[in-house]
Amino acid sequence: MGKIRIPTRVLVVDDEKDFVEILSNRLEEAGETVSSANSGQECLKVLDEKTIDVVILDIKMPGMDGMDVLKEIKKRHPLVEVIMLTGHGSTETAVDGMKAGAFDYLLKPADFSELTKKLVGARKRKDDQEERIRQAEVKLLLRKGGNI
Amino acid sequence: MDAIKTLLVDDEKSFIETIEKRLKKRGFAPYLAESGKKCLEILKDSTIHIVVSDVKMPGIGGIDLLKKIKQDYPAIEVILLTGHANPNDGVEGIKQGAFDYLTKPIELEHLIGKINQAWDKIQRIKEKKEEEAFRERMKKQLIANERLASLGTLSAGVAHEINNPLAIIKESAGWMNTIISGMNLSTVPRLNDLKTAIDKIEKSVERARRITHQLLSSVKKQDTALSEIRLNEFLQETIHLVKRSLPEKNIKMSLDTRHTDGILWTDPYQLRQILINLFTNSARAISNEGWIDLTVADTGDLVSISLKDNGEGIAYENLEKIFEPFFTTRAPGEGTGLGLFITRGIVEKLGGKIEVESQVGEGALFTLVLPKFNKNCDTQKGRN
Ligand SMILES: Nc1ncnc2c1ncn2[C@@H]1O[C@H](COP(=O)(O)OP(=O)(O)OP(=O)(O)O)[C@@H](O)[C@H]1O
Ligand SMILES: [Mg+2]
């Protein structure tokens, strides 16, 4: 408490505009930096333009299927973490999604406190990953430097 | 094939007794009646296939007897014995539905021949009826299946559509909660009323969500993965999963796989769904402490998985109803009553059956019987 928290840059993607709006409000109130998109295409566009840590992605969207969007995100921005929102009662879609690289999933309608917990987890995984890459780069630089 | 049961009717006692003796030698064991009246009495108590009756008898005559038999026992075939002097009796008899007639004095071989022909006819009719009944049953089953399938698709679709507005309601209520949490009683006099109301909205959303998710759990993804399941591992894993979700109760769970080779070809996701539903029900029926025994056994092409608990049991009058949609004995909001309905739907889709045995206070036994090798395997395997 009292510690300054760096906000997570979240992108909420759902074709339900009301849902996106209200969830964004809540996340911003909780201190995150929120962007939004109403379709898969828009989501990919936002990712090209802004730095995003975590995408909250509705898996069932018309147009580009959520699963395709997920794969595309992971291909273009492998470090961006994705939390899926699925409408499916069964866990099949969720399992498929995790195989495709999603961090975790939530069944819609989801519990906000659970969502927040998963956001923290996703953010942490991304930070760790970036840290490892940084260290690897440093090592590489040092080695190169030694050769000169 | 059951033995041919014949009944000989004639007022001439010595006549039917001789025929009886000779028929017996040929493996028949006919019943005897000395009058039409006696004949009808016997028909009331015994199953008879073929009646061989004289036409000229005091009291009820052969033709009247024939009419009566055809009216009350249409499946019985009647062979008439007519006198030499009255060739018209036979023709009249056939008009009235007799199988055929023989003219006295009769030859045993002729009689046996006729009896056998009549028996063939009875068999043919029986087979045809069975076939028709079978076809009728299949038709009904098919219609029921189709109706269930389309009902499933429809309700899953509806459930899915409802989840979206539910999510919005839920987030909005949560959002309102966040906002008013930062206010104080002096600025908002009825803050507590507001909080209670929001709380109710959230609880109701949770309740509706349980219904939609139950409904959605019944839809099969098109590319269902039918695969070989190693039951031991699979069931251990499922038990583990269930135990973790029920930490508040002290329930012993055991698994007996001694009578199975441990292999089952079916859809693991759906099997898990079924078991979780059954486990959850059992766990809820157990107050604080108890046990659930899972037993698997192979019988030919089938595998039975039975789940026995020592919970509160099910009242006799509810045994039929528990598989109906929305039947629940739990408090509103605590059970949807869809669990077993959906479970049965899935079981049937997998080509199996589910049955229940229970008495109040004695726990419940749910038995699931599935084909060891799912028929759909062959057609579906290739697609995965
Ligand atoms: N093992 C059991 N022991 C006692 N009663 C049972 C058992 N399993 C089912 N029942 C009875 O059958 C009813 C219907 O079960 P079903 O699973 O369909 O719905 P539910 O459990 O009430 O609700 P839901 O599954 O949606 O939470 C239950 O309410 C309960 O009365
Ligand atoms: Mg249940």
Side-chain angles (χ1 to χ4, degrees):
Chain A
M1 304 292 117
K3 206 169 95 184
I4 299 169
R5 208 169 59 85
I6 305 163
T8 305
R9 287 156 295 188
V10 186
L11 171 58
V12 180
V13 190
D14 196 318
D15 59 323
E16 295 271 344
K17 292 201 174 84
D18 286 340
F19 179 76
V20 171
E21 181 188 324
I22 209 90
L23 185 61
S24 304
N25 285 347
R26 291 189 83 182
L27 289 169
E28 278 188 359
E29 186 80 14
E32 319 300 359
T33 306
V34 186
S35 312
S36 65
N38 292 122
S39 70
Q41 280 87 349
E42 209 185 322
C43 161
L44 294 170
K45 212 172 122 231
V46 173
L47 283 172
D48 285 339
E49 291 162 0
K50 292 185 188 171
T51 312
I52 297 290
D53 299 314
V54 184
V55 177
I56 298 173
L57 178 67
D58 183 34
I59 281 300
K60 188 139 185 193
M61 278 186 301
M64 205 168 167
D65 176 33
M67 202 59 82
D68 296 335
V69 181
L70 168 64
K71 285 175 188 154
E72 205 52 39
I73 295 175
K74 280 286 154 186
K75 201 163 87 191
R76 296 196 205 172
H77 313 273
L79 287 181
V80 171
E81 294 294 348
V82 179
I83 297 172
M84 300 177 289
L85 291 177
T86 82
H88 249 283
S90 80
T91 46
E92 284 171 63
T93 343
V95 172
D96 292 347
M98 310 275 271
K99 279 186 196 152
F103 173 73
D104 210 334
Y105 73 96
L106 283 164
L107 297 182
K108 221 175 170 185
D111 195 50
F112 189 71
S113 62
E114 261 183 66
L115 175 63
T116 338
K117 255 189 256 159
K118 303 222 151 136
L119 258 182
V120 172
R123 168 70 187 281
K124 182 160 184 322
R125 185 161 93 166
K126 188 178 178 245
D127 286 352
D128 290 350
Q129 195 89 350
E130 278 171 349
E131 180 58 27
R132 265 198 300 278
I133 292 173
R134 237 189 323 276
Q135 276 171 9
E137 276 170 354
V138 169
K139 249 188 238 159
L140 220 65
L141 269 177
L142 284 179
R143 203 175 294 153
K144 268 187 195 155
N147 281 345
I148 292 175
Chain B
M1 188 175 94
D2 21 22
I4 311 177
K5 295 222 171 78
T6 51
L7 168 58
L8 305 179
V9 194
D10 200 318
D11 55 320
E12 237 181 280
K13 205 173 169 210
S14 60
F15 172 76
I16 47 173
E17 277 174 359
T18 4
I19 296 191
E20 182 201 12
K21 215 183 290 164
R22 292 166 67 191
L23 278 178
K24 265 189 177 158
K25 274 191 200 144
R26 302 291 296 271
F28 292 90
Y31 289 69
L32 303 183
E34 285 162 45
S35 67
K37 200 169 147 243
K38 188 85 213 297
C39 164
L40 292 174
E41 273 166 29
I42 293 175
L43 291 185
K44 227 181 261 164
D45 302 328
S46 325
T47 311
I48 299 291
H49 301 123
I50 298 163
V51 172
V52 180
S53 171
D54 189 21
V55 174
K56 279 271 172 303
M57 290 185 294
I60 307 172
I63 299 286
D64 286 338
L65 180 64
L66 166 70
K67 285 188 200 162
K68 188 98 181 95
I69 292 175
K70 280 288 156 190
Q71 190 185 333
D72 294 348
Y73 312 95
I76 293 179
E77 290 301 334
V78 179
I79 297 166
L80 291 177
L81 305 177
T82 58
H84 234 353
N86 306 314
N88 284 341
D89 285 353
V91 180
E92 175 62 16
I94 286 179
K95 269 193 209 153
Q96 296 298 334
F99 176 71
D100 208 344
Y101 68 93
L102 292 168
T103 313
K104 278 184 178 179
I106 57 166
E107 250 186 69
L108 189 73
E109 288 313 318
H110 276 172
L111 180 60
I112 290 176
K114 279 282 168 282
I115 289 176
N116 282 333
Q117 282 172 18
W119 177 245
D120 285 347
K121 181 177 168 195
I122 290 172
Q123 292 306 307
R124 272 202 311 277
I125 290 174
K126 200 171 130 201
E127 273 161 25
K128 215 168 116 192
K129 266 204 187 128
E130 275 166 6
E131 206 184 293
E132 262 164 30
F134 176 74
R135 229 182 258 144
E136 196 55 33
R137 263 206 316 279
M138 285 302 288
K139 216 166 88 187
K140 277 201 187 127
Q141 181 73 41
L142 234 95
I143 292 172
N145 281 354
E146 267 164 27
R147 196 178 292 152
L148 259 181
S150 54
L151 201 71
T153 319
L154 179 68
S155 50
V158 171
H160 201 278
E161 286 311 310
I162 288 175
N163 270 346
N164 281 324
L166 272 184
I168 297 169
I169 296 172
K170 190 167 171 139
E171 292 311 330
S172 301
W175 173 230
M176 287 198 277
N177 224 341
T178 318
I179 296 172
I180 62 170
S181 294
M183 301 176 168
N184 59 45
L185 235 85
S186 56
T187 48
V188 190
R190 300 186 64 185
L191 191 63
N192 283 332
D193 286 353
L194 274 180
K195 276 190 176 152
T196 317
I198 292 174
D199 193 46
K200 288 209 164 91
I201 295 177
E202 286 183 323
K203 285 220 173 77
S204 305
V205 169
E206 189 46 42
R207 185 172 158 185
R209 175 192 130 112
R210 258 204 301 251
I211 300 177
T212 54
H213 282 222
Q214 273 286 25
L215 287 173
L216 280 165
S217 69
S218 68
V219 276
K220 199 171 171 181
K221 264 182 69 187
Q222 299 95 313
D223 54 343
T224 303
L226 289 150
S227 58
E228 184 185 291
I229 299 175
R230 306 202 162 268
L231 281 170
N232 222 318
E233 249 168 81
F234 179 83
L235 295 174
Q236 294 280 11
E237 206 181 277
T238 308
I239 289 178
H240 190 71
L241 210 88
V242 172
K243 262 194 178 154
R244 237 189 3 198
S245 64
L246 301 161
E248 70 279 12
K249 285 184 182 172
N250 183 8
I251 300 173
K252 267 209 193 78
M253 298 192 193
S254 72
L255 173 61
D256 178 355
T257 49
R258 280 173 303 169
H259 301 287
T260 171
D261 61 8
I263 304 268
L264 173 61
W265 273 89
T266 195
D267 179 341
Y269 287 109
Q270 304 215 332
L271 180 58
R272 179 157 289 149
Q273 185 80 42
I274 294 168
L275 291 169
I276 288 175
N277 275 343
L278 295 180
F279 266 120
T280 318
N281 282 348
S282 289
R284 277 170 155 181
I286 292 168
S287 48
N288 291 311
E289 252 186 61
W291 48 259
I292 304 174
D293 286 348
L294 199 59
T295 311
V296 190
D298 289 353
T299 39
D301 296 341
L302 303 172
V303 178
S304 78
I305 302 176
S306 38
L307 198 132
K308 192 164 172 25
D309 65 58
N310 70 337
E312 60 185 6
I314 302 164
Y316 180 75
E317 66 270 20
N318 289 343
L319 277 178
E320 288 279 301
K321 295 189 206 141
I322 57 171
F323 291 101
E324 285 171 13
F326 303 111
F327 176 83
T328 178
T329 55
R330 308 191 201 294
E334 291 195 350
T336 62
L338 287 169
L340 286 177
F341 171 68
I342 281 158
T343 300
R344 189 164 66 178
I346 302 176
V347 172
E348 282 172 2
K349 261 193 264 174
L350 294 177
K353 272 197 318 206
I354 181 165
E355 270 159 16
V356 60
E357 276 171 52
S358 178
Q359 267 174 33
V360 175
E362 301 275 298
L365 168 67
F366 282 85
T367 307
L368 180 70
V369 180
L370 291 172
K372 197 169 181 66
F373 300 96
N374 201 299
K375 294 255 163 39
N376 301 328
C377 280
D378 300 338
T379 48
Q380 301 254 352
K381 242 190 311 185
R383 289 179 26 202
N384 279 320

